[in-house]
Amino acid sequence: MILQNHLERGVRVKVGQFFGTVRYVGEVPNTEGEWIGIEWDDPVRGKHSGTINGVQYFQTRAPNAGTMIRSEKLTKFQTLEQAITEKYIVTEDTLQLDSEMIQAVQKQLHASLFEIVGMEKVGGKQSNLQHLVDVSVRYCPVNAAGNLSSLVHLEMLDVSSTLLWNWSVVGNIAEQIPTLRELNLSNNRFVDPYEEQISVLAQKFANIQTIILKNCSIGSWLELVRLARMWPAIENLLLEQNDIRYIEDEAPYIVALSRLKHLDLQNNAVRDADSIRNLGKLPALEELVLTGNGIRELSFSDDCPHNEKVDLYRNLRTIYLRDNPLQDQSHAFNELDKLARLEHVMVDPDPAVSYEETVARIVGSIAGLRMFNRSTISEKLRRDSECDMWKLYAHQWVEVRNDAQRLKAFFKTHRMYPRVMERLGSPEQFLPDTRKVSNMIRLQLLNELTAELREKKVPKRINLHTLQNLIVKLFGLPEGNSALRLYLLDRKRKVRIPLENHGRSLDFYSVEDNDTIVFE
């Protein structure tokens, strides 16, 4: 353990509720004694950037995040052993304190029979460290391991917001607890291990499957990959709130993270298409969290045929994309359909359309989707959504269906359309009839006595009385012959249908274009 009077650069320290890192240990001219130069995690706590009276003693990442203090102000360090003992071991003093607290509550509630049920059982279990499975010493000033041999069943350890700063110390902890599977190191700052340390530490971390490194100032993916070489069994890696921006396309990370199943990168800045594609090369990845990264577009491949999948994210089943300003959700859903095993997508509804339309778009677009925003997708919802997409893009399909190149491009943009058409057929029935509908029909008017035949365009809704007057004028008949007898000649059945009700219109008798009206 680093002693209070033997500090070095990189050591983590705590003053009150503020955490910082030692950047300088030494004298300052015109003052007496030793000073400790601290770079605070919270820059508001600082007073300068490491420069005093024109002399630079250290350099802070954020402006004015530094302070010079005396070592007496630092919170005293603890070993992990001491922190666990203090928190989990029930002593006579703590039992006496608990008794006094219960008496105070009884008096306040006027309930002399009040008791806390199960305290003896819990206390007994806590007193026996061998029974502990999950331990948290969050916020304790731990900077060393101590003797941890009694933790024979411990599986989960939370040492977040402590004073751990050296990977060798963390390795010592993991080595002493071979049952440990999950390690929470969030809100700590670590110095990079030397190259020769990495292989040694990899043996100590051999059983660790989950590591949580939220807000640990990890500045790049390459830095993370170098650390990952120490974790040969890593399956779950949580990296929320770091400063990772670009995912390099290099083989080492595929090797170091070859067993990784769950990767949490929320609230970093991984937003460019190349980085997201490069993450897709992780062979075992099943769940990816990209919430709050500023992603505007997804693009996995421009030349993937509509009936094939890309060779990326081969095992990915769940992706989180909430709090990202996706510019075109329809395009994003079409890209996600290229992933072979994707089943669950978390994404914010498009504010430009209704929630129902967002659901229809994503369910209708991604063939294998089983859940959307934690809601199970029923077969009825899938059928209805596919039908909605079938109708929505019908006009575009009609415009390109006779042009092979344009049709191919349409299917790449709307991958779901061929498979939906295979199930539902052509969407032409839902297209409006664009043909111009005329209110006029052509009639063949035949004078049965003279065999004279004339063609005349008339309104469909002309009544028979008006048609009689028109025939008299058209054929030059005497005015007294206005009471003509009219018949519709049905050529198919070779019969004549009398048109007797002169107040009725032609469409009442289903007269069609080019029909023949016989009069006498």
Side-chain angles (χ1 to χ4, degrees):
M1 180 173 71
I2 297 293
L3 299 177
Q4 215 77 22
N5 60 356
H6 186 69
L7 297 172
E8 58 182 282
R9 283 181 294 179
V11 169
R12 296 283 289 165
V13 293
K14 183 180 180 183
V15 176
Q17 300 302 313
F18 292 92
F19 290 84
T21 303
V22 174
R23 297 301 183 198
Y24 173 79
V25 179
E27 297 180 352
V28 174
N30 302 320
T31 65
E32 294 183 0
E34 187 176 73
W35 290 91
I36 312 298
I38 307 296
E39 179 179 6
W40 299 105
D41 296 354
D42 184 355
V44 176
R45 177 69 172 80
K47 296 180 179 179
H48 52 73
S49 300
T51 300
I52 301 174
N53 296 328
V55 179
Q56 186 181 68
Y57 296 92
F58 58 96
Q59 179 66 48
T60 60
R61 292 184 181 182
N64 298 320
T67 304
M68 288 287 192
I69 66 172
R70 300 291 190 178
S71 61
E72 302 85 64
K73 291 187 177 181
L74 302 177
T75 301
K76 295 185 72 172
F77 297 137
Q78 281 184 313
T79 65
L80 180 57
E81 176 192 6
Q82 290 170 335
I84 293 174
T85 300
E86 184 177 296
K87 182 172 181 179
Y88 289 90
I89 293 294
V90 179
T91 65
E92 291 185 6
D93 290 339
T94 55
L95 287 174
Q96 177 62 31
L97 180 60
D98 290 341
S99 177
E100 292 173 356
M101 289 176 61
I102 292 173
Q103 290 175 12
V105 172
Q106 288 173 336
K107 184 176 181 181
Q108 184 175 359
L109 297 178
H110 304 289
S112 59
L113 298 179
F114 171 84
E115 64 176 344
I116 301 177
V117 179
M119 278 303 296
E120 297 84 356
K121 186 175 181 180
V122 173
K125 189 169 185 179
Q126 287 184 329
S127 295
N128 191 342
L129 298 183
Q130 294 180 354
H131 293 161
L132 290 176
V133 176
D134 184 354
V135 162
S136 173
V137 291
R138 184 177 175 85
Y139 295 117
C140 294
V142 171
N143 78 339
N147 184 353
L148 307 173
S149 59
S150 59
L151 300 169
V152 294
H153 290 107
L154 191 65
E155 297 179 6
M156 293 176 284
L157 176 61
D158 183 353
V159 284
S160 60
S161 301
T162 59
L163 300 181
L164 292 175
W165 64 284
N166 189 307
W167 283 106
S168 294
V169 174
V170 183
N172 186 7
I173 293 171
E175 184 179 33
Q176 291 192 62
I177 313 174
T179 56
L180 194 61
R181 297 293 179 268
E182 179 178 311
L183 189 55
N184 188 345
L185 299 165
S186 299
N187 302 312
N188 291 312
R189 303 289 183 270
F190 293 94
V191 295
D192 292 334
Y194 297 117
E195 189 64 28
E196 56 270 20
Q197 290 179 297
I198 291 178
S199 59
V200 175
L201 289 170
Q203 299 176 31
K204 298 183 179 183
F205 289 117
N207 297 321
I208 302 296
Q209 297 174 343
T210 299
I211 292 185
I212 306 171
L213 290 166
K214 176 182 177 181
N215 187 28
C216 287
S217 290
I218 297 173
S220 72
W221 183 249
L222 290 178
E223 178 184 342
L224 182 279
V225 170
R226 186 169 182 270
L227 296 176
R229 290 162 55 199
M230 301 186 297
W231 314 319
I234 193 71
E235 294 183 0
N236 307 291
L237 187 54
L238 289 76
L239 303 168
E240 182 182 353
Q241 290 181 355
N242 283 285
D243 195 26
I244 300 172
R245 296 176 177 272
Y246 186 72
I247 309 299
E248 288 81 3
D249 183 16
E250 295 188 12
Y253 84 84
I254 300 176
V255 175
L257 300 171
S258 61
R259 299 178 61 174
L260 193 65
K261 294 180 180 180
H262 172 91
L263 177 60
D264 185 346
L265 286 168
Q266 66 179 304
N267 297 325
N268 280 272
V270 181
R271 59 180 62 126
D272 65 283
D274 287 342
S275 290
I276 297 171
R277 274 194 298 269
N278 290 338
L279 283 173
K281 297 175 183 178
L282 291 169
L285 193 63
E286 296 179 4
E287 185 170 275
L288 176 61
V289 183
L290 290 172
T291 301
N293 272 267
I295 299 169
R296 302 175 68 86
E297 180 185 13
L298 296 178
S299 179
F300 299 122
S301 173
D302 293 331
D303 56 1
C304 178
H306 67 82
N307 56 349
E308 296 181 11
K309 302 291 186 179
V310 294
D311 191 28
L312 296 169
Y313 294 106
R314 286 173 290 177
N315 288 295
L316 189 71
R317 286 170 171 76
T318 303
I319 188 167
Y320 293 73
L321 292 167
R322 305 199 81 153
D323 297 327
N324 285 298
L326 291 170
Q327 295 300 292
D328 185 345
Q329 282 200 347
S330 294
H331 173 75
F333 299 158
N334 192 65
E335 289 297 305
L336 290 171
D337 183 58
K338 298 175 182 178
L339 307 184
R341 297 189 177 184
L342 188 65
E343 296 179 349
H344 185 190
V345 175
M346 297 280 290
V347 67
D348 295 320
D350 186 346
V353 300
S354 66
Y355 178 78
E356 290 74 17
E357 185 169 339
T358 298
V359 173
R361 285 180 178 181
I362 191 168
V363 176
S365 297
I366 304 176
L369 202 64
R370 297 288 176 267
M371 296 186 73
F372 170 56
N373 287 355
R374 303 189 190 281
S375 295
T376 301
I377 297 168
S378 66
E379 283 306 312
K380 182 181 184 304
L381 177 58
R382 185 180 305 284
R383 290 194 302 270
D384 291 348
S385 298
E386 289 179 346
C387 186
D388 289 343
M389 295 299 99
W390 183 52
K391 296 175 185 178
L392 180 64
Y393 297 115
H395 288 282
Q396 295 181 36
W397 172 77
V398 167
E399 291 176 1
V400 303
R401 60 179 170 174
N402 296 320
D403 186 324
Q405 287 300 110
R406 294 177 67 197
L407 184 62
K408 182 179 179 181
F410 172 78
F411 285 158
K412 285 178 66 175
T413 305
H414 308 288
R415 291 168 53 87
M416 103 300 287
Y417 218 73
R419 63 174 178 263
V420 173
M421 285 184 62
E422 186 176 340
R423 183 170 70 84
L424 300 177
S426 168
E428 288 180 282
Q429 58 184 297
F430 293 100
L431 297 175
D433 189 351
T434 57
R435 296 173 298 179
K436 188 174 180 180
V437 179
S438 174
N439 290 320
M440 307 292 286
I441 58 173
R442 284 186 177 83
L443 292 181
Q444 306 299 323
L445 301 174
L446 176 63
N447 188 334
E448 191 171 40
L449 294 176
T450 65
E452 183 181 359
L453 181 68
R454 292 197 179 187
E455 183 180 283
K456 182 63 178 176
K457 242 184 190 182
V458 298
K460 284 182 180 180
R461 300 187 63 82
I462 189 173
N463 62 37
L464 296 182
H465 179 74
T466 304
L467 180 62
Q468 277 190 350
N469 292 334
L470 179 64
I471 290 173
V472 168
K473 292 180 181 180
L474 186 64
F475 284 87
L477 301 178
E479 293 292 334
N481 291 344
S482 58
L484 299 174
R485 288 191 293 273
L486 305 178
Y487 304 90
L488 173 63
L489 184 61
D490 190 334
R491 297 183 185 279
K492 291 182 180 179
R493 293 185 292 173
K494 297 181 180 180
V495 296
R496 297 198 309 178
I497 301 171
L499 307 178
E500 297 175 335
N501 190 338
H502 289 188
R504 295 288 188 181
S505 61
L506 291 178
D507 59 354
F508 174 79
Y509 290 99
S510 300
V511 177
E512 298 179 351
D513 206 38
N514 286 320
D515 276 352
T516 299
I517 301 291
V518 180
F519 65 89
E520 61 181 20

